[in-house]
Amino acid sequence: QLQFVESGGGLVQPGGSLRLSCLVSGSTFDYYAFGWFRQAPGKEQEGISCIRSSDDSRYLSDSVKGRFTISRDSAKNTVYLQMNELTPEDTGVYYCAVSYYMKVEAMCVHGVYDHRGQGTQVTVSS
């Protein structure tokens, strides 16, 4: 069974940066797709960015293009989300998720995954 340890969230002023980390343990890291999803208050869950380990394919939501970057470190079984130029609209709970079979765009756009972590809160406010 997979276990997730998400970290890096917090309170940041508009224009600031945060880096989220998701340590995944319990299975082989190299064959899955990983994604970051955001749940903002009163809104539906949004797939922010997804990455597949086997071919390094990536998807990035239009809402964060040019500001966020997803990456992975297989040696550390960790996936990262670097978030720059944060705005209040980026506020929400960010979840790390794993899909065994989905392609990255389908995983992110349709929110289909097999496991999800507990989430880390990101608040962008002055």
Side-chain angles (χ1 to χ4, degrees), residues 65-98:
K65 276 184 180 176
R67 301 187 298 123
F68 290 14
T69 304
I70 192 170
S71 63
R72 62 181 179 86
D73 185 333
S74 296
K76 296 181 179 179
N77 279 13
T78 301
V79 180
Y80 304 97
L81 186 67
Q82 177 67 44
M83 307 187 296
N84 300 326
E85 300 176 35
L86 286 160
T87 73
E89 288 68 38
D90 295 316
T91 294
V93 179
Y94 285 69
Y95 297 94
C96 177
V98 166

Side-chain angles (χ1 to χ4, degrees), residues 4-73:
F4 298 80
V5 178
E6 296 147 309
S7 61
L11 173 64
V12 63
Q13 291 187 341
S17 298
L18 286 173
R19 188 175 82 153
L20 305 183
S21 299
C22 176
L23 170 63
V24 183
S25 61
S27 189
T28 304
F29 187 86
D30 290 339
Y31 300 100
Y32 302 153
F34 299 86
W36 287 99
F37 293 81
R38 177 170 68 198
Q39 184 70 59
K43 295 185 179 180
E44 292 186 358
Q45 178 181 267
E46 177 186 7
I48 298 300
S49 190
C50 295
I51 185 169
R52 174 160 284 280
S53 297
S54 58
D55 59 6
D56 207 35
S57 56
R58 306 180 190 208
Y59 170 87
L60 197 61
S61 171
D62 287 343
S63 65
V64 301
K65 276 184 180 176
R67 301 187 298 123
F68 290 14
T69 304
I70 192 170
S71 63
R72 62 181 179 86
D73 185 333

